[in-house]
Amino acid sequence: MEYDVKDLSLAEQGGNRVEWATQGMAVLTAIKDRFAHKKPLKGVRIAACLHVTTETAVLMQTLKAGGAQVHLCASNPLSTQDDVAAYLVSNENIPVFSIKGEDRDTYYRHIHQALDVKPQITMDDGADLVSTIHAERRELLDHIVAGTEETTTGVIRLRSMAAEGVLAYPIIAVNDANTKHLFDNRYGTGQSTLDGIIRATNRLMAGSTFVVSGYGWCGRGVAMRASGMGAKVIVTEVEPLRALEAVMDGYQVMPMLQAAKVGDFFCTVTGDIKVLRQEHFAVMKDGAIICNSGHFNVEIDLEALAEMTEERRQIRENVEEYRLSAGKRINVLGEGRLINLAAAEGHPPSVMDMSFANQALAAKYVTENSGTLEKRVYGVPEEIDREIASLKLAAMGIEIDELLPEQKEYLSSWDMGT
Ligand code: ADE
């Protein structure tokens, strides 16, 4: 079996950590048991490009239990947990191609190696498989039934491809499921981003000024958790509606040029380029800490920062100090890559439980509906979303009410009880 991981001797540690994550993933475990029994993915070849974490390992086990043949590579050069990669190779016989800290060439070589499975389904987090197939591996298109996409950034790219008429196969936007973005993007990114910043810096949040750029679901989560730890939160936005929501959620809202002068911490979560740039670095305070929790490492203009810099050094793991002229220091966390995965372990298992339940059921759905889907981006079917919410509540031991028949009738009538 071909694979490329850092060190197979890490497998035992990886296995223990996967077991720990599994304890928080009751929904995916229930689906795994169902898959083991019914084999809905029997013989289906899947290429997956995801963050190689303990939670992803449980998804890989689930797909395998369903009968799939899976190849896995990383969706970010810094997010791989090497012990998990070793465990998947050694104990699950799943070919994994990913090493934490891999360079750009290795990252893309690994994507190609994952694609060598000749996938019928692609499973992406950031659309790198889809992009590579469309640009360089078009011969693979003959086999592909559909793909799934995990993240907002990936879905935006895929929708652009569909709008331009270049998307060559159907995609299920897992990110758009309510049981994904309302929980993973908000509570998952909220907690894991703060976790990453704190692990990297060991600085106190209470009393600090924390600038969050972007008030989508991820930004809302980061702002909420920073505020919960006692930081004064400033939000920067470009959308009036979101800005207004941030104001009414109790945050200060202002342009980045103003926020840059007062922030102690800066976290970008916009999905766009150059959110922090030269004009902002120029006015930041000495010692400002800047990081990104958006998918790609494009939100902080590190090239511009490097040009303004006289000296650079790694002052702590995951903290690079840029010393500008006049002695001002700006600290960049995790090379501007997703700080929650670079310096912490990504989202906790209990939110990934729902995200990856969507992935597993989306893979089953496209397998059962192959040939009926068009070359466009679909949401996750509503029944799947609702089923996952019900399974999650059941796993948490939470019961809810049911409508009386007359309440149902009232809701579907237009002349009753007015
Ligand atoms: N994205 C964010 N957190 C993650 C995790 N724990 N595993 C896989 N993908 C993630």
Side-chain angles (χ1 to χ4, degrees), residues 47 71 108-119 122 128-144 168-169:
H71 276 199
Y108 281 102
R109 175 166 54 79
H110 284 160
I111 287 184
H112 281 282
Q113 285 176 297
L115 287 175
D116 289 342
V117 72
K118 297 194 170 62
T122 58
D128 280 346
L129 289 179
V130 173
S131 306
T132 306
I133 290 167
H134 282 70
E136 296 171 55
R137 299 287 298 269
R138 295 194 70 87
E139 81 282 1
L140 295 174
L141 289 171
D142 295 342
H143 310 281
I144 298 178
Y169 59 92

Side-chain angles (χ1 to χ4, degrees), residues 128-375:
D128 280 346
L129 289 179
V130 173
S131 306
T132 306
I133 290 167
H134 282 70
E136 296 171 55
R137 299 287 298 269
R138 295 194 70 87
E139 81 282 1
L140 295 174
L141 289 171
D142 295 342
H143 310 281
I144 298 178
V145 170
T148 63
E149 172 54 54
E150 171 78 7
T151 201
T152 319
T153 296
V155 171
I156 290 170
R157 300 200 144 196
L158 293 161
R159 287 226 157 88
S160 304
M161 290 174 80
E164 280 181 29
V166 297
L167 184 65
Y169 59 92
I171 299 286
I172 305 285
V174 164
N175 183 69
D176 292 0
N178 289 314
T179 47
K180 199 280 182 179
H181 66 267
L182 293 180
F183 303 93
D184 172 313
N185 300 26
R186 181 167 37 173
Y187 303 112
T189 308
Q191 176 165 321
S192 61
T193 298
L194 268 291
D195 184 10
I197 295 170
I198 292 167
R199 286 196 208 192
T201 63
N202 192 29
R203 288 283 170 84
L204 186 71
M205 287 291 144
S208 70
T209 299
F210 193 111
V211 182
V212 180
S213 196
Y215 204 63
W217 289 110
C218 294
R220 290 176 177 110
V222 174
M224 180 169 48
R225 292 299 174 245
S227 171
M229 295 192 78
K232 285 171 274 181
V233 173
I234 296 174
V235 171
T236 71
E237 246 305 336
V238 292
E239 287 290 337
L241 207 67
R242 288 183 172 180
L244 194 56
E245 195 180 348
V247 171
M248 299 227 179
D249 284 344
Y251 306 119
Q252 270 189 283
V253 174
M254 62 182 76
M256 182 58 92
L257 206 49
Q258 259 170 269
K261 294 178 190 154
V262 292
D264 300 304
F265 296 92
F266 294 82
C267 182
T268 53
V269 252
T270 69
D272 211 341
I273 60 171
K274 298 189 180 178
V275 178
L276 287 177
R277 49 186 184 265
Q278 193 270 341
E279 68 200 83
H280 305 131
F281 305 136
V283 296
M284 279 181 187
K285 296 196 289 193
D286 177 34
I289 292 170
I290 66 177
C291 69
N292 165 54
S293 213
H295 185 78
F296 287 118
N297 59 334
V298 292
E299 304 205 17
I300 303 175
D301 188 352
L302 287 175
E303 257 175 49
L305 183 59
E307 271 169 28
M308 300 164 76
T309 295
E310 291 186 345
E311 237 183 289
R312 265 161 83 161
R313 62 178 174 143
Q314 194 73 36
I315 187 163
R316 275 169 69 90
E317 195 184 350
N318 287 314
V319 185
E320 196 171 5
E321 180 192 84
Y322 286 65
R323 193 177 276 269
L324 278 51
S325 54
K328 184 167 86 175
R329 292 158 297 183
I330 294 181
N331 298 295
V332 178
L333 307 187
E335 300 171 19
R337 297 190 186 276
L338 303 141
I339 194 59
N340 60 339
L341 282 139
E345 293 168 68
H347 305 347
S350 62
V351 284
M352 294 314 294
D353 191 25
M354 291 188 279
S355 310
F356 284 166
N358 276 291
Q359 286 284 7
L361 294 182
K364 174 174 177 279
Y365 174 80
V366 296
T367 304
E368 288 167 352
N369 291 279
S370 70
T372 67
L373 301 172
E374 292 166 19
K375 295 170 183 172

